[in-house]
């Protein structure tokens, strides 16, 4: 049995806006600035999609109404309709969860929730990518990373729109017994 296998119930969530400021100079690659850290924008975007934290994480607020069930073959299904910030399978931000199903794929970077099949107009999944976007349609890129810590599943949804605008939603689930 894999550590993800089982049923998980949403316990909390928090949404954060963009911690990054952009710098543009003639003849130079655009840069991202977060606090005292400055790096090429492409590097910041790669790290953001890999789930790197650049700022203090605000506390979770209680949330419920969403279940995530992971089978031994690492396919998953979500059910419910929690009133939480959410990015749908096709990249639309909603104020209520829109459950989907798929599979968990693990790389050197972490474990990613992926749709069963990519959205028809998005880039196909590539097995060679260490960062596995759930969606990459050319305008919006979304990664959905999960990790188990004790009896908690932590899920980090990182979004970049137009190559420079960032959003992140964190969810925390508790493991529940399966009948």
């Amino acid at each position: 049995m894999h550590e993800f296998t089982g049923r998980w119930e949403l316990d909390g969530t928090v949404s954060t806006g963009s911690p990054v400021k952009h710098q543009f100079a003639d003849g130079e690659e655009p840069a991202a600035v977060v606090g005292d850290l400055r790096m090429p924008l492409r590097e910041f975007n790669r790290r953001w999609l890999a789930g790197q934290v650049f700022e203090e994480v605000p506390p979770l607020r209680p949330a419920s109404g969403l279940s995530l069930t992971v089978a031994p073959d690492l396919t998953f299904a979500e059910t419910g309709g929690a009133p939480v910030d959410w990015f749908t399978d096709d990249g639309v931000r909603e104020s209520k969860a829109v459950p989907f199903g798929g599979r968990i794929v693990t790389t050197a970077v972490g474990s990613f929730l992926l749709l069963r099949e990519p959205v028809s107009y998005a880039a196909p999944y590539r097995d060679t990518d260490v960062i596995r976007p759930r969606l990459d349609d050319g305008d919006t890129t979304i990664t959905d990373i999960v990790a188990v810590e004790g009896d908690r599943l932590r899920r980090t949804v990182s979004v970049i729109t137009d190559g420079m605008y960032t959003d992140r939603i964190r969810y925390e689930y508790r493991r529940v017994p399966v009948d």
Side-chain angles (χ1 to χ4, degrees), residues 13-22 33-34 44 48 52-59 85 87 93 156-161 164-170:
T13 185
V14 64
S15 296
T16 56
S18 178
V20 67
K21 293 183 171 110
H22 301 94
V33 179
V34 181
F44 171 83
W48 182 262
Q52 184 172 340
V53 176
F54 291 93
E55 72 288 336
E56 187 173 324
V57 178
D85 287 336
F87 282 90
R93 188 177 190 134
T156 303
V157 177
S158 302
V159 182
I160 297 178
T161 306
M164 59 191 309
Y165 305 106
T166 60
D167 287 288
R168 181 165 282 157
I169 306 172
R170 291 184 173 85

Side-chain angles (χ1 to χ4, degrees), residues 13-124:
T13 185
V14 64
S15 296
T16 56
S18 178
V20 67
K21 293 183 171 110
H22 301 94
Q23 290 182 344
F24 302 93
D26 289 340
E28 290 184 22
E29 180 177 348
V33 179
V34 181
D36 295 333
L37 183 64
R38 183 180 190 278
M39 69 185 80
L41 182 58
R42 271 187 293 198
E43 178 63 14
F44 171 83
N45 288 351
R46 187 190 66 74
R47 290 180 183 190
W48 182 262
L49 292 172
Q52 184 172 340
V53 176
F54 291 93
E55 72 288 336
E56 187 173 324
V57 178
L60 296 169
R61 61 177 170 75
S64 62
L66 188 66
S67 295
L68 176 69
T69 303
V70 180
D73 66 355
L74 296 182
T75 58
F76 70 89
E78 292 179 304
T79 56
V84 296
D85 287 336
W86 193 264
F87 282 90
T88 65
D89 56 358
D90 57 356
V92 176
R93 188 177 190 134
E94 297 286 347
S95 59
K96 184 176 181 184
V98 180
F100 61 90
R103 59 195 168 96
I104 297 175
V105 173
T106 300
T107 72
V109 169
S111 297
F112 296 83
L113 296 182
L114 299 179
L115 302 171
R116 285 183 185 89
E117 295 292 327
V119 175
S120 63
Y121 53 84

Side-chain angles (χ1 to χ4, degrees), residues 134-148:
R134 171 165 48 103
L135 173 77
D136 184 355
D137 68 6
D139 293 322
T140 302
T141 305
I142 299 173
T143 57
D144 202 332
I145 301 173
V146 290
V148 173

